Amino acid sequence: MSINIQSALGEYLFLAMGECNGHKVVMGIGYTLEYADKKAKQFELSSGGTVKYIDISVIKTGDKEKCKTLEKLK
C-alpha cells in the first residue's frame, strides 16, 4: 500500500518504534512523520543508549494493524 505522507492531518498515525531490553517499544507518536521522528530522537538521546530507535510504523486512523513501515529520518 502506498502512503501519501502529505495526507490530511489525522488520516494516519506515525509510531516511532525502538528496542529496549529485547522488546519493541513505542518511542513517539504523531500525526506527522516529522513529529514522531523528532520525539523518538529526543527519547533515544535522553535514554543514554538504553533505547535504540529503529523505524516508524504507519497506521491508518481507526485500524489496528500497521499498513507500512518506514525508515527513520536521517
Side-chain angles (χ1 to χ4, degrees):
M1 170 182 262
S2 115
I3 300 294
N4 180 4
I5 301 301
Q6 301 301 323
S7 61
L9 188 62
E11 187 174 352
Y12 291 96
L13 290 173
F14 298 88
L15 282 67
M17 305 301 292
E19 186 176 301
C20 179
N21 297 324
H23 296 280
K24 197 164 187 181
V25 296
V26 177
M27 299 174 68
I29 301 172
Y31 286 117
T32 66
L33 172 63
E34 294 79 13
Y35 184 78
D37 181 73
K38 172 185 156 183
K39 289 306 193 185
K41 288 175 179 171
Q42 289 173 349
F43 192 126
E44 184 176 48
L45 182 64
S46 67
S47 78
T50 305
V51 183
K52 182 181 179 218
Y53 178 24
I54 52 177
D55 60 28
I56 298 174
S57 295
V58 181
I59 299 174
K60 186 163 178 67
T61 303
D63 285 352
K64 294 182 181 181
E65 300 290 327
K66 70 179 175 181
C67 57
K68 187 168 185 142
T69 300
L70 304 173
E71 290 184 24
K72 63 183 183 178
L73 300 178
K74 303 290 181 212

